[in-house]
Amino acid sequence: MTARLARLLIGLILYGVGCGVMVQAQIGVDPWTVFAQGLSVQTGVGIGWITNLVGLLVLLLWIPLRQRPGIGTLANILLVGTSMQLTILALPAMNGFVTQVIVFLGGMALVALASGIYIGARLGPGPRDGLMTGMNSRLGWPVWACRLTIEATVLLFGWLLGGTVGLGTVLFAAGIGPLVHVALPLLDVSRRGAAAEAGPGRDPVAAAGAPRVG
């Protein structure tokens, strides 16, 4: 359990750092961060602190969906936004398109690496992942439809509130899935057995029953 807790904490902190790096690249961010950024623009509260608050509010939506949080769920709410905010305060905003793209890709790679670390701890999904899986179990919608509905909604509202939608948003949508797909089996030994059992062409993440990042 000590090792799993260490993985959880390290992974969540690195996840927030990666998100903060992507924010400072200034070429657009993932849908949930667009939403947090839009709320930050409207309220003047830091994006990281807003991320923590949104995570807490999303957790309340678990109640009608009958989802149960774990240690990882609560740690996610406390750590991701906090480490994101500290990164934003420490890292200057990037200038120059090439530099911005390189920095963004570095942040996205760090998010994927962190996902492999903290999901491998198996101590509970993040609040946003739980919302997606809860909708899947209660409404019977496919996971992809739940995720698309949720992320499209928060992206739209975030953009209307002043969040940044741009190249980074597209890069994240296209790249984070394959990157996490690679990171998970590399960083979780127990998942390798699931991947072998799944057979060729099957998703080892789905075979292991772990939530996806998002």
Side-chain angles (χ1 to χ4, degrees), residues 39-179:
L39 289 173
S40 177
V41 169
Q42 297 300 319
T43 64
V45 178
I47 299 173
W49 310 132
I50 291 289
T51 296
N52 287 345
L53 180 59
V54 168
L56 180 60
L57 294 176
V58 169
L59 187 60
L60 296 178
L61 297 177
W62 284 30
I63 297 174
L65 296 175
R66 299 181 184 176
Q67 295 287 93
R68 294 183 179 180
I71 297 173
T73 311
L74 302 178
N76 187 298
I77 293 171
L78 294 173
L79 294 178
V80 171
T82 302
S83 57
M84 180 196 300
Q85 186 64 39
L86 294 176
T87 301
I88 292 171
L89 293 174
L91 186 69
M94 298 296 112
N95 294 305
F97 181 70
V98 174
T99 300
Q100 291 173 302
V101 171
I102 292 173
V103 169
F104 182 90
L105 292 176
M108 186 168 70
L110 184 56
V111 165
L113 176 67
S115 299
I117 295 172
Y118 94 79
I119 291 177
R122 297 173 180 256
L123 289 173
R128 298 157 187 81
D129 294 317
L131 177 62
M132 176 182 65
T133 56
M135 288 177 62
N136 168 251
S137 63
R138 293 291 292 169
L139 302 179
W141 296 4
V143 171
W144 67 264
C146 297
R147 179 165 185 164
L148 179 62
T149 300
I150 294 168
E151 295 194 352
T153 300
V154 296
L155 179 65
L156 175 61
F157 278 99
W159 176 68
L160 291 174
L161 290 169
T164 304
V165 177
L167 175 62
T169 311
V170 177
L171 290 175
F172 190 90
I176 194 60
L179 287 174

